[in-house]
Amino acid sequence: MPAQRMTMHRIREVLRLKYECGLSHETIARALGIAKGSVANYVAAAQVAGISASVARELDDAALLTRLHPQRYVRHGHAVPDFAHVHREVHRKGVTLQLLWEEYREGCAPGMLPYSRTRFSELYAAFAATLRRSMRQEHKAGEKLFVDYAGQTVPVIEPSTGEIRPASVFVAVWGASNYTFACATATQRQADWIGAHVAALQYFGGAPVLLVPDNAKALITKADRYEPEAHRAYEAMAAHYGSAVLPARPRKPRDKPAVEAGVLLVSRWILARLRDRRFFSLTEVNAAIAPLLEILNDKPFQKLEGSRRSWFELLERPVIRALPETAYEYAQFKRAKVSRIDYHVEFERHFYSVPHALVGQEIDLRVSATTVEALFRHRRVASHARSNVVGGYTTVADHMPASHRAHREWTPARLINWATDIGGATRSVVVHILESKPHPEQGYRACLGMLNLARTYGPKRLEAACGRAVLIRAFSAKSVRSILQSGLDQQPVQRTLYAEAPMPEHGNVRGPQYYH
C-alpha cells in the first residue's frame, strides 16, 4: 500500500506490533485493518533502514518517511529538507516557499547538495499530500477564522416542564493552526450567531483579518459567488473587531475545509463523549464542553510536530488583531420613517423622538438590548433607553420644534374644537387622549385617527361610538375604532354620557383651559 494512504501513526503501530509484541504479519494486518502485503513492505523497509519501533517513535513524520522511502524523498548526496518545518513556516505571514528553499539551500551541511527549487517544491507537495485536506490549505497566520454550526445538537431538558430542546453547537477554527473553539447556543438565529462569535474572539484573545462563514441566512442576505452581501448586524460586529466578512462560495465546501474538519472533530471528540449526559441548561452544556475543548487543542498532530495550541501560539498569536476594550453588544438594524406629524419613529409599537427637522425622512434604527439609536446618513442623531411599553412615547425636549412651529396647524385647541363640533362624547375622548400624554403632540396621531373615522363612518356614528366608549371608560382611538367596526355604536345603551360626563381622574389632567 502506498505510504501516503497510511497514517504515520499506523506505520509506527506496525513496527511496534512486529518488534515489541512479536506478532505475525497476518495478525498485525487483521488487527489494524490493512493488507498483509502492506505490513510486509513496511517491515522490510524498516529493516533496510535500520529502524526499530523505539527509533520510529523518536523520529518526526518527515524524517520517518524519508528513512523508509529514500528513493521517493532523497537522492544520493542531497540534503534532506525538514518538510514538517517547511509546512509550518509557510503559514507565517510574508513567508514564501521560495524563501524557505533559499534558507534550506544555505543551511545544507558541507558535502551535501541542495535540491533545485523545482525539485524542492515537488518533494514538499508530495509531503503535503500525505496530510489531511484541512492542513494542506496554506492560509496565512492570523488571516482567516472559519465559523459554522455542527449538524449534531445537544438535548437540554427544561427543569420545570421536562421539555427537551436541542442546543446548537457553534464551531470556530483558525485557518493556519486549526486552533478550535466551540460553544452551545439555544438557536442558530442571528443573535446567537453573533453572540457565539463574540465568545470565540474572547477565547482566542484576538480577531482575524477575515471571518469566513457559510451562507447562513441569519448572516448573509445575498449568497452570491462574486458579490455576497452580509447582514448589516453581522458587518457591524465584524467592524467592531476590525475584521471583514468573506462568505464561502455557495456549494463550495472546499472553501472551508478547516471548519468542516473542526466540526467533525468537535462531534467526535466532544459531543460523542457527552452523549449519555443529561443537561438542564446551556450553562451546564458549555461547562462540559470547555475541558474537552482544551484536550482537543492540546492533542498532538499525527504527521506534524506540535498541536493546535502550539501552532496557534507560534503562528497566529503574534499577528492577530488586538480586541477592543469592550466586547461587541449585539444590535439589530431596521429602516424607519419619521412621522410628519409628531417627529417620532416606531419600534415594536413604542415611539421614540428624533430631531423635528427630520420629519418625513427615512432613517436607520440600531437597536440593542438596552438602547435605540437613530442614524441618519451614518450619523447618530438620537439615542434613547429601550422601552417595552406598548403604545408609549419616549421624547427628548430638544427634539421638539420651538413653539411647535413645524406643526402649527396641528394644535390641541383646533382638535378640541373639531371634536366639540361633532359632540360632547367625541370631545371627552379627544381631551382625554391629549391630556394623558406627557406632550400634547404625542396625542396628535390618535386624534387624527379619530378624524379619519369621522370621514369613514360619519360624524353621527363617531359620536355614538364615543358615547359608548365614555360609558365603558375606554378612552382611546383604538376602542372607538373597534366599536365602529363591530357596529356596537348602533346598538342601544342603558344611558348616554356626553358633555356632562365627568372626566376621569388622571395625574396629568390639566383641564380645558390649558388649551385656550
Side-chain angles (χ1 to χ4, degrees), residues 26 31 89 93 96 120 134 160 226 248 286-287 294 362 364 427 430 477 489 504 506:
E26 183 177 357
E89 293 299 305
K93 197 170 185 178
T96 64
F120 179 86
S134 63
S160 59
Y226 303 104
N286 285 318
E294 300 308 307
E362 290 267 344
D364 293 311
R427 182 181 187 279
V430 168
D489 59 292
H506 193 282

Side-chain angles (χ1 to χ4, degrees), residues 41-229:
N41 290 339
Y42 278 107
V43 170
Q47 290 174 343
V48 171
I51 298 175
S52 64
S54 59
V55 171
R57 282 194 295 269
E58 295 174 358
L59 294 174
D60 63 30
D61 289 344
L64 181 57
L65 276 174
T66 300
R67 293 276 297 273
L68 289 173
H69 300 285
Q71 71 283 2
R72 183 178 303 169
Y73 294 99
V74 184
R75 291 177 183 171
H76 181 69
H78 284 73
V80 180
D82 183 354
F83 286 122
H85 170 77
V86 170
H87 186 73
R88 183 185 64 222
E89 293 299 305
V90 81
H91 287 77
R92 288 181 179 269
K93 197 170 185 178
V95 177
T96 64
L97 204 57
Q98 173 74 25
L99 173 62
L100 294 171
W101 172 72
E102 292 174 356
E103 293 177 349
Y104 151 75
R105 184 182 60 182
E106 294 171 359
C108 284
M112 301 298 291
L113 296 174
Y115 285 109
S116 68
R117 169 70 174 82
T118 301
R119 182 57 180 164
F120 179 86
S121 299
E122 290 174 349
L123 292 174
Y124 170 66
F127 171 80
T130 67
L131 305 177
R132 288 189 296 108
R133 182 163 59 92
S134 63
M135 292 301 297
R136 294 200 299 267
Q137 300 284 318
E138 293 186 4
H139 301 299
K140 293 302 179 183
E143 182 182 50
K144 293 180 181 179
L145 180 66
F146 297 86
V147 295
D148 203 354
Y149 268 95
Q152 186 176 348
T153 59
V154 178
V156 177
I157 304 170
E158 174 59 41
S160 59
T161 64
E163 179 184 2
I164 298 178
R165 297 180 179 178
S168 298
V169 178
F170 171 86
V171 179
V173 180
W174 285 92
S177 64
N178 277 21
Y179 193 51
T180 302
F181 170 80
C183 71
T185 63
T187 69
Q188 295 184 30
R189 295 174 182 170
Q190 187 181 84
D192 287 319
W193 268 101
I194 292 179
H197 275 72
V198 173
L201 298 181
Q202 292 293 127
Y203 176 82
F204 296 132
V209 176
L210 296 171
L211 290 166
V212 186
D214 204 347
N215 288 277
K217 291 183 179 180
L219 302 181
I220 307 302
T221 59
K222 179 183 178 183
D224 185 86
R225 180 172 181 176
Y226 303 104
E227 295 182 353
E229 293 181 5

Side-chain angles (χ1 to χ4, degrees), residues 170-304:
F170 171 86
V171 179
V173 180
W174 285 92
S177 64
N178 277 21
Y179 193 51
T180 302
F181 170 80
C183 71
T185 63
T187 69
Q188 295 184 30
R189 295 174 182 170
Q190 187 181 84
D192 287 319
W193 268 101
I194 292 179
H197 275 72
V198 173
L201 298 181
Q202 292 293 127
Y203 176 82
F204 296 132
V209 176
L210 296 171
L211 290 166
V212 186
D214 204 347
N215 288 277
K217 291 183 179 180
L219 302 181
I220 307 302
T221 59
K222 179 183 178 183
D224 185 86
R225 180 172 181 176
Y226 303 104
E227 295 182 353
E229 293 181 5
H231 274 285
R232 188 169 178 184
Y234 192 34
E235 288 182 335
M237 185 277 296
H240 181 81
Y241 291 104
S243 302
V245 177
L246 181 67
R249 292 174 297 172
R251 297 175 295 280
K252 294 291 182 180
R254 291 185 180 181
D255 284 1
K256 47 184 180 63
V259 74
E260 289 190 335
V263 165
L264 183 62
L265 280 169
V266 167
S267 297
R268 291 178 175 176
W269 269 85
I270 297 179
L271 301 186
R273 286 168 167 77
L274 303 178
R275 66 188 184 278
D276 294 328
R277 292 186 56 176
R278 300 178 69 193
F279 298 101
F280 297 92
S281 69
L282 283 177
T283 302
E284 290 184 11
V285 178
N286 285 318
I289 288 176
L292 296 176
L293 184 62
E294 300 308 307
I295 296 174
L296 173 62
N297 281 323
D298 287 327
K299 182 176 181 292
F301 289 129
Q302 288 186 351
K303 295 190 178 183
L304 296 169

Side-chain angles (χ1 to χ4, degrees), residues 381-394:
V381 294
S383 179
H384 301 278
R386 185 171 175 176
S387 174
N388 296 320
V389 179
V390 175
Y393 282 78
T394 299

